[in-house]
Amino acid sequence: MIRVLLVEDMHVVRAGLAALLGGEFDMEIVAQAADAPQALLAVDRVRPDVALVDVDLPGADGVALVRELAVRAPRCRTVMLTALDRPGHVRRALDAGASGYLLKTVSARQLAEAVRRVATGGRAVEPAELAADASYGISPLTAAEAETLRLAASGAATKTIAVELFLAVGTVRNRLSSAAGKLQARSLVDAIRIAERYGWI
């Protein structure tokens, strides 16, 4: 029996996934969580085989949760479930330790088959084109540049970013300038647009 943890903040979606996978002859939904802290508590408590994780969670990005699960519960394999089909998102998820990446448009059969494949040590990326595209999704940005650009994308001013990251204002400007140069962007707004389009922030 494959023990499954569902991590999805939308109750209706989570309930639908529970009904769908709970009806499979070889799967059992052992816990459900609406956010990363709940998921981590559940993993410690129920020791699932597979965690199905939404990429967009409140308070924490699903990719960060996948990275934490890989360290905290290495025997629990993870599958990202998302509406984001950009190569950069796929690459980030796989690099963080996810064994699968599925769009929310997959069929019930594809979802169940993916969970089975991942539970037995395989990898599942649907649609398959995303797996090929992921090789082109490698970000040219450093983690520091991406973090700074992500804050700028949220509308934060340079001084605010500096305070949040405990940096000098000049360092923030240098990071943003470097990111724009690497993305061959004409402006900061253009850099944000490019990075968001490819899923790098």
PDB file of all heavy atoms in Angstrom, residues 16 94 97 141:
ATOM      1  N   GLY A  16     -10.764  16.749  -3.289  1.00  0.00           N
ATOM      2  CA  GLY A  16     -10.891  16.030  -4.558  1.00  0.00           C
ATOM      3  C   GLY A  16      -9.750  15.052  -4.770  1.00  0.00           C
ATOM      4  O   GLY A  16      -9.961  13.917  -5.214  1.00  0.00           O
ATOM      5  N   LEU A  94      12.876  19.789  -9.603  1.00  0.00           N
ATOM      6  CA  LEU A  94      13.708  18.590  -9.717  1.00  0.00           C
ATOM      7  C   LEU A  94      15.036  18.771  -8.988  1.00  0.00           C
ATOM      8  O   LEU A  94      15.526  17.852  -8.327  1.00  0.00           O
ATOM      9  CB  LEU A  94      13.934  18.239 -11.190  1.00  0.00           C
ATOM     10  CG  LEU A  94      12.667  17.893 -11.996  1.00  0.00           C
ATOM     11  CD1 LEU A  94      13.030  17.577 -13.440  1.00  0.00           C
ATOM     12  CD2 LEU A  94      11.893  16.744 -11.364  1.00  0.00           C
ATOM     13  N   GLY A  97      14.822  18.168  -5.329  1.00  0.00           N
ATOM     14  CA  GLY A  97      14.653  16.786  -4.889  1.00  0.00           C
ATOM     15  C   GLY A  97      13.332  16.149  -5.260  1.00  0.00           C
ATOM     16  O   GLY A  97      13.065  14.999  -4.891  1.00  0.00           O
ATOM     17  N   LEU A 141      20.862  33.084 -13.131  1.00  0.00           N
ATOM     18  CA  LEU A 141      20.975  33.903 -11.928  1.00  0.00           C
ATOM     19  C   LEU A 141      21.522  33.098 -10.756  1.00  0.00           C
ATOM     20  O   LEU A 141      21.234  31.907 -10.618  1.00  0.00           O
ATOM     21  CB  LEU A 141      19.600  34.451 -11.536  1.00  0.00           C
ATOM     22  CG  LEU A 141      18.844  35.261 -12.587  1.00  0.00           C
ATOM     23  CD1 LEU A 141      17.448  35.603 -12.082  1.00  0.00           C
ATOM     24  CD2 LEU A 141      19.614  36.511 -12.963  1.00  0.00           C
TER      25      LEU A 141
END
